[in-house]
Amino acid sequence: MSDQPSVSPKVSCKGVDVFYGDQQVIHNVSMDIADRAVTAFIGPSGCGKSTFLRCINRMNDTIEGARVEGLVEIDGENVNAQGIDPVTIRSRVGMVFQKPNPFPKSIYDNVAYGPRIHGLVRDQMDLDEIVERSLVRAGLWDEVSDRLDSPGTSLSSGQQQRLCIARAIAVGPEIILMDEPCSALDPIATARIEALIDDLRQRFCIVVITHSMQQAARVSQTTAFFHDGRLIEHGETEMIFTNPADTRTQDYITGRFG
Amino acid sequence: MSDHIVSAFSGELEGLSADLLRMGGLTEAMITDACSAVTTSNRPLAKTVVEQDKTVDALEADIEKRITRLLALRQPLASDLRTVLAAFKVSSDLERIGDLSKNIARRTLDLDPAESIESLKGVPRMGRAVSLQLQAVLDAYSRNDAEQAKRVWAADDDIDQHYNSLFRETLTYMMEDPRTISAGAHLMFIAKNLERIGDHCTNIAEVIFYQVTGEYMPADERPKTPLIGA
Ligand SMILES: Nc1ncnc2c1ncn2[C@@H]1O[C@H](COP(=O)(O)OP(=O)(O)O)[C@@H](O)[C@H]1O
Ligand SMILES: [Mg+2]
């Protein structure tokens, strides 16, 4: 349950369709996503979770042949409106992927990269502060503060994933999208990321795609179940996992044939 | 509902429900036997009931172990989660019913047949009513029948009324003839035990309702007669 129920949604989608060429993979999805809360997207592989997620930060723009229709709003502002710069959108919406993908640079530079290119800093002190704060918030500072010059790739995969989270939050986003952020991690690293997600929701609007029902149950307050490009059910996580309304949701989360 | 992709999981859930029904059948017979033993001073029958309680306890312990394992290894969700939680609660209610039946049977050994009391005749009747409640609720369990569970739940008031009239009747005898006081006291405990068994049946009914519908039985809708001496 979210601690402070927010009044208006952070993200609001209305009648979203997505096509790859002439193949439609997202059908008429409407959904509000709350601020300062974690929303989990669940559903079988290929149902369109990643595609829909990418509508929020206009990442589908970068995919050949992808076309998005319908309305996607952040704080009531249409992200696809003319004159909106996708780069601005992407600085407001951070993204973390399944496989940790640090740049082949030092730990410091991985985190400093975003603030530098977005021109968010005046001087070195400013930058040092952002890097430290981001690493602290990502729960990594204590483990790396004495080796900020080491390559990001020298970290364990769990640490790399937290580095990617630090990199995402360094540019001061409002929304963080995570596409299966723990699927490549062991249980301890996964627990760390989950604790971090729970921590971050005090400040951010977070959407997590996961194939682990237990993870969705542990980290999210709201869960959305997708099937065949459609949003089947969307509601309080507690309800979805104790008493889902739709039999397709029920069959999926209990491991039954559809 | 269709089967789990991991079919062993479906098998485990079915096994659980089969064992609960077996446990239920045992306790149902214990209620009837205990009431019959106590009214006919049948000591061997009373001892059988006391023995059967051990079987019921062992069944409960086994079911509990399997449920713990199932929660840890299968991590059930949604209707599966409700099924497992229900099994856990039903088995503990049945275990309590076994205990209460054993307590009734034990009084056979303490009751002096020479000091009998007329109202003892009411025991088998109340015992039958309680045992029918249990039968009906187990039937609801085996068929996942929320409506039937609700009927059992509503019918508990009849048991309470049974209890009140048996209590009142016994009290009258005790006041008229002090020689019946010892037997009367036993009888009041027996009636109370049967009334408690009725309550466990309504617990089970509530659990079935939740298991099947995912919703809680509306607590304020049940007719309720205040119990004397409660
Ligand atoms: N770049 C692409 N070009 C064409 N089809 C794609 C592309 N990306 C995904 N798809 C198709 O779109 C559907 C949804 O995929 P995706 O959003 O990745 O699902 P999920 O994240 O739920 O596994 C799938 O049928 C997939 O094959
Ligand atoms: Mg995906």
Side-chain angles (χ1 to χ4, degrees):
Chain A
M1 234 107 317
S2 77
D3 303 326
Q4 328 94 305
S6 46
V7 206
S8 52
K10 185 71 187 172
V11 181
S12 179
C13 302
K14 294 188 187 85
V16 172
D17 297 318
V18 184
F19 304 80
Y20 290 115
D22 37 0
Q23 198 202 354
Q24 184 167 4
V25 299
I26 293 291
H27 301 262
N28 193 28
V29 172
S30 298
M31 181 196 308
D32 283 347
I33 301 174
D35 199 6
R36 287 159 210 274
V38 180
T39 299
F41 286 1
I42 61 171
S45 286
C47 70
K49 303 177 296 294
S50 298
T51 300
F52 183 69
L53 192 76
R54 288 194 294 264
C55 296
I56 298 171
N57 65 347
R58 288 190 56 173
M59 280 273 281
N60 286 318
D61 291 12
T62 64
I63 293 173
E64 182 75 24
R67 182 161 53 88
V68 178
E69 287 177 5
L71 187 61
V72 179
E73 294 176 333
I74 297 178
D75 289 333
E77 191 183 359
N78 180 357
V79 304
N80 295 306
Q82 278 198 341
I84 300 260
D85 180 2
V87 176
T88 317
I89 296 293
R90 275 171 230 146
S91 76
R92 295 176 67 188
V93 186
M95 189 139 186
V96 176
F97 300 88
Q98 172 175 1
K99 216 169 152 296
N101 54 351
F103 305 133
K105 288 170 180 287
S106 70
I107 293 170
Y108 185 97
D109 285 339
N110 261 279
V111 184
Y113 178 80
R116 270 192 195 122
I117 62 156
H118 286 288
L120 300 176
V121 290
R122 287 183 308 262
D123 51 30
Q124 187 61 36
M125 243 176 61
D126 235 11
L127 190 57
D128 288 352
E129 198 192 304
I130 289 186
V131 169
E132 175 170 346
R133 192 175 55 217
S134 305
L135 286 168
V136 167
R137 285 204 182 138
L140 193 59
W141 177 251
D142 291 342
E143 291 157 64
V144 301
S145 59
D146 58 350
R147 50 170 171 145
L148 294 174
D149 294 332
S150 313
T153 49
S154 66
L155 299 170
S156 73
S157 49
Q159 288 172 323
Q160 286 185 25
Q161 194 61 302
R162 279 180 282 146
L163 180 62
C164 293
I165 292 172
R167 187 178 64 192
I169 60 189
V171 294
E174 300 145 47
I175 301 167
I176 303 176
L177 309 177
M178 304 188 179
D179 197 342
E180 303 182 40
C182 301
S183 4
L185 304 182
D186 68 54
I188 300 293
T190 297
R192 289 229 168 81
I193 301 280
E194 288 180 1
L196 176 58
I197 292 172
D198 197 50
D199 211 33
L200 293 174
R201 82 174 157 98
Q202 312 297 329
R203 303 170 183 279
F204 302 100
C205 162
I206 300 175
V207 183
V208 181
I209 295 180
T210 177
H211 278 132
S212 157
M213 298 304 100
Q214 280 71 30
Q215 176 163 79
R218 284 190 301 259
V219 303
S220 73
Q221 291 75 52
T222 304
T223 295
F225 171 64
F226 291 85
H227 188 72
D228 274 346
R230 289 176 172 82
L231 175 62
I232 304 299
E233 192 168 347
H234 176 220
E236 251 180 67
T237 296
E238 191 185 320
M239 275 313 275
I240 300 276
F241 287 107
T242 57
N243 193 15
D246 196 285
T247 45
R248 285 165 294 183
T249 318
Q250 163 90 12
D251 284 347
Y252 178 70
I253 67 179
T254 60
R256 288 180 162 85
F257 296 112
Chain B
M1 196 176 299
S2 55
D3 259 353
H4 292 91
I5 295 166
V6 178
S7 63
F9 185 16
S10 299
E12 284 165 19
L13 289 178
E14 281 155 23
L16 212 51
S17 129
D19 275 4
L20 276 174
L21 288 173
R22 197 152 72 85
M23 201 173 157
L26 258 172
T27 49
E28 207 183 296
M30 282 170 72
I31 301 171
T32 314
D33 287 349
C35 292
S36 153
V38 86
T39 37
T40 59
S41 300
N42 185 340
R43 286 165 176 248
L45 186 58
K47 282 182 179 145
T48 319
V49 174
V50 173
E51 278 309 302
Q52 273 167 337
D53 185 52
K54 291 180 187 153
T55 314
V56 171
D57 285 354
L59 270 169
E60 193 219 5
D62 180 56
I63 287 172
E64 198 176 307
K65 232 183 273 166
R66 278 153 58 198
I67 287 175
T68 307
R69 186 178 168 277
L70 230 145
L71 287 171
L73 303 186
R74 306 283 186 208
Q75 302 168 6
L77 289 170
S79 66
D80 293 338
L81 177 62
R82 303 201 305 268
T83 300
V84 173
L85 290 179
F88 193 73
K89 293 189 77 172
V90 170
S91 80
S92 109
D93 277 314
L94 288 175
E95 189 274 333
R96 289 296 299 140
I97 292 176
D99 275 352
L100 292 162
S101 306
K102 180 184 69 179
N103 288 350
I104 295 171
R106 276 215 179 116
R107 294 191 188 271
T108 312
L109 313 175
D110 299 336
L111 258 173
D112 186 344
E115 285 180 11
S116 190
I117 180 167
E118 184 64 18
S119 58
L120 206 52
K121 285 181 184 145
V123 167
R125 205 152 43 87
M126 183 172 174
R128 207 149 40 238
V130 168
S131 152
L132 279 175
Q133 278 284 85
L134 181 57
Q135 210 175 351
V137 85
L138 290 171
D139 190 42
Y141 181 75
S142 71
R143 291 189 287 114
N144 285 321
D145 187 340
E147 282 313 306
Q148 161 107 340
K150 204 163 176 183
R151 280 195 293 275
V152 172
W153 182 71
D156 184 56
D157 195 50
D158 298 346
I159 304 290
D160 293 349
Q161 286 176 17
H162 250 295
Y163 169 76
N164 281 348
S165 79
L166 198 57
F167 189 98
R168 215 176 277 124
E169 192 188 340
T170 306
L171 204 60
T172 312
Y173 282 114
M174 285 160 85
M175 287 191 298
E176 275 171 7
D177 182 356
R179 283 169 306 169
T180 63
I181 284 179
S182 166
H186 279 301
L187 181 51
M188 282 176 172
F189 278 113
I190 291 169
K192 189 68 205 165
N193 285 344
L194 287 172
E195 188 272 327
R196 292 290 303 141
I197 293 177
D199 286 348
H200 285 290
C201 294
T202 60
N203 287 352
I204 296 175
E206 285 171 6
V207 166
I208 295 168
F209 191 85
Y210 174 70
Q211 176 190 329
V212 177
T213 65
E215 301 191 352
Y216 296 100
M217 199 104 82
D220 44 355
E221 276 180 20
R222 181 146 71 100
K224 199 107 185 67
T225 304
L227 296 178
I228 303 177

